Amino acid sequence: MIRRNFIKSGMLSVTLAGAAGPVLSFMSDDRYIKTAGLPHDRMFRKRRTPRDIKEVVPGFLWWDAADFADYGGWALDTQFAAFMGSSYLIAHGTSAPVKDAVSSCDLKAPGRYRLWVRSKNWIPEHSPGTFKVAVNGKPSQILFGAQSQDGWSWQSGGVFDLPAGHCMLALQDQTGFFGRCSSLILTRELDFKPAAKTDAFQKERLALMGLPKQPKDLGDYDVVVVGAGAAGCCAAIAAARNGARTLLVNDRPVLGGNSSEEIGVPINGAADHHKDQFSREGGIIEEAVQICHARGWWHLMSRVFQELTDAEPNLKVINNSRVVGAVKNGSSIQSVELLDVLEGVRRVAKGLVFVDSTGDGWLGHFAGADWRQGNEARSEFNESLAPEEANNLSMSGCLRAPVKDYTRAVFYQSIKRDGAVPFKKPSWVYTFDSEWTRVRGNFGEFTSSLQGGTWWVEHRNTVDDFNDPEEARDELIRINFSFWNYLKNDWKNRHLAAEYELDYVPFTNGRRESRRLEGDYVLNQNDLQKPVAFADAIGHCGWPMDIHAIDGIFDLRGPFFPGLGNGNDACHVPFGAQVPFRSLYSRNVDNLLMAGRNISVSRLALGSVRIQGTCAVTGQAAGTGAALCAKYGLSPRNLCRSRMEELQQNLLRDDQFVPCVKNRDQADIALSADVTASSVDKPGCAPQNVINGLTRPLDGQENRWVSSAEESVPQWIMLEWDAPHKLSSVQCVFDTNMKPNAWHSGPRPASCARDYRIECRVDGAWKTVASEQGNYRRLRRHTFPTLSADAVRLTVLSNNNSRCARVFEIRAYA
């Protein structure tokens, strides 16, 4: 594939036409459907509203493969609908043909019908995924998926003499190796030839299916967030909680992006590499992870993000919808155009402020935002680890999917049998040469990779994984089978793999890198390694500059980019490295913010900020900023210039850590209180710490109240004023042990207050305004009818597994 140049301005593009219709999307527990016993039972069974196949245009019947009533062993893939024109069914096997997908219709008239089938040969020189189509039980003579041309194309399946009435179609997989079909036509017009190019295909599809051409208007919003990974979900929740009417657009059936139940990348971050400091990300992502962990949802985040978004009355979520265009007025976006990847129809959403959290920067691309790709030259930012010359490489993603019980995700899945299971080498897999075998052929001895695969089974960085993401995904499928073939047939310790049978290879690509939208500031290596105290800081990072090997699995130097790697000081990023707000908004699209891995950073800095925890931090900041922009009628740039302190204070209020910034919220009545407590553990844990503006230990200072270890709970801490104040809200920040990755701190952190009571003193008498049992969360905000009080008392009644009461902050608001 030919890549784009290193720095480009995006192009305004509007594509597709369609109609509105009801959509079913499935969530965890009772809200998604699995098909037990089939190779793809880990995938969400995405289905669209059943459609009656009939002659909208006389003589023509059109099926999208998604219309099939029974998918059999095929699975619905919607990842590439915006590129190739529709969703499609994929034969999801591991070498044995999968069960037929079947559908039916009632033919209006008898006659001779020509069958047309739209398919793709995903490795043209080998034709790994082939299938036939049976009409009323009679298989076509044509083998689909074996055509010589590149890309998606129509093939004639021959002519069938069919009676009027019931007609059955079946997709008959021949290989079990990811054959694919998007659409079928039965027509009595024997000389008809379907449109080949994607745009023409989409128009013809609309006409033959009888779908209206005008998009459905989804309405007007203050904030439109496009992309629903950790960054996008946090952005949307933050915007809604800050008062903005918000729309969250998600192109998948479940929320969470790379951290969803489809892909399952854990929420890692600074704490993974700064375990001796309280460095974990706070705010919404801390809230989400603690809920997820406490409920046994492990690190698959779809359920918790669904719960949190459902709880916001200002927030609407639309799933299975991908941005495919933007309409602008001057340098501002007015609306976005969305493709429903299940139905293939179009929708439009208007907004005041937009957040691009697509990962690949697609909204920015359609809006004409300036963007970057690949490595900057060393001279541009004087980055010592950058190459001498710029290039447009991008890290490979990985295939990922959940295991059967949805407790974790894997790169592939194998099953250990009672005896040896041979694996016949497919003709299309790569063979690793003797030098690779010598240098990397026993990396980690592979024993841990037999059952679930590993993260560095990646394609080369030259694969164009955002202009042609299907090719990139297919290359990962090919590489996974190549690696499995190595383990089974070529590895010197292949006896260890003898009893393992490959059970499941995912087809969803967890992407790591593509385009980055350019803002007023490009965060770079130097900013991270010698942390700059940005006046517009909105959060922190601390993952190393983690960039993977240029040649992926084939790289002889190991899985990391040369000079980088875990434990290598060259790529270390200290705790306290900051992300500026100027890296979260477009430099040339006035009302566009960014969140996640497409923010304004150099490629080296991307290696740090692309991690899920940091993406969430940028998401909460972008969403909060977007809400303020909508509230005040400001562009993000002007918000940065005129109301940056307000943005930072809002982030602190919502428990996002902003280095070097203290709570100075003028509305926080607690800041003027005198503070006393029932006991103190040691001098550094003084009661006054709960109003000192900091909510984690920093620079040797505890910044929290800890009760005496010599005295058991209950223990109390009290805020008093000289005169009564009107109060309607009290919020507390408890200690959830921000040192380790949250998944390692236990589902109910020992240091966190479990049961507590909040009281207000009114006319000399204590009145309980909030009471909580079974708490495991760090930030707790309690609201109550306004009253006039001269004191607030928090009593910690019990902890999860700790003798001392611990509180970082107490705030009080009218």
Side-chain angles (χ1 to χ4, degrees), residues 397-550:
C398 276
L399 299 182
R400 293 275 288 179
V403 295
K404 290 181 179 180
D405 60 3
Y406 285 77
T407 58
R408 60 188 177 89
V410 292
F411 302 96
Y412 59 67
Q413 185 72 46
S414 69
I415 297 175
K416 190 173 185 180
R417 303 299 188 185
D418 291 334
V421 181
F423 179 73
K424 182 180 178 181
K425 177 183 176 181
S427 62
W428 43 271
V429 300
Y430 296 113
T431 300
F432 300 103
D433 62 25
S434 58
E435 183 64 7
W436 187 91
T437 300
R438 184 184 68 82
V439 176
R440 290 196 64 185
N442 288 292
F443 184 89
E445 291 299 315
F446 297 134
T447 51
S448 63
S449 303
L450 284 173
Q451 290 186 319
T454 187
W455 61 266
W456 48 262
V457 180
E458 301 171 325
H459 61 59
R460 291 182 171 91
N461 287 189
T462 52
V463 173
D464 193 345
D465 56 357
F466 63 93
N467 286 311
D468 193 347
E470 188 177 11
E471 180 194 29
R473 189 281 308 274
D474 291 346
E475 183 70 1
L476 288 173
I477 293 173
R478 190 175 187 179
I479 286 171
N480 270 266
F481 278 100
S482 301
F483 183 57
W484 183 253
N485 176 68
Y486 176 81
L487 294 179
K488 292 288 289 185
N489 297 322
D490 297 333
W491 183 28
K492 72 175 184 180
N493 292 324
R494 55 188 174 273
H495 63 279
L496 298 175
E499 295 181 346
Y500 285 90
E501 180 180 17
L502 191 60
D503 177 57
Y504 174 77
V505 174
F507 60 79
T508 303
N509 187 0
R511 307 276 296 285
R512 291 187 174 97
E513 178 183 5
S514 58
R515 62 168 71 84
R516 310 182 297 278
L517 304 181
E518 193 159 7
D520 276 352
Y521 191 81
V522 179
L523 190 71
N524 61 71
Q525 173 193 343
N526 301 309
D527 300 322
L528 298 184
Q529 294 200 309
K530 296 180 180 178
V532 175
F534 290 110
D536 60 334
I538 51 80
H540 76 291
C541 56
W543 190 267
M545 289 177 292
D546 175 6
I547 297 178
H548 294 190
I550 291 176

Side-chain angles (χ1 to χ4, degrees), residues 17 197-208 213:
K197 293 185 178 180
T198 300
D199 288 346
F201 160 81
Q202 291 164 340
K203 292 177 181 177
E204 192 165 75
R205 174 183 175 275
L206 292 174
L208 294 181
K213 297 179 181 179

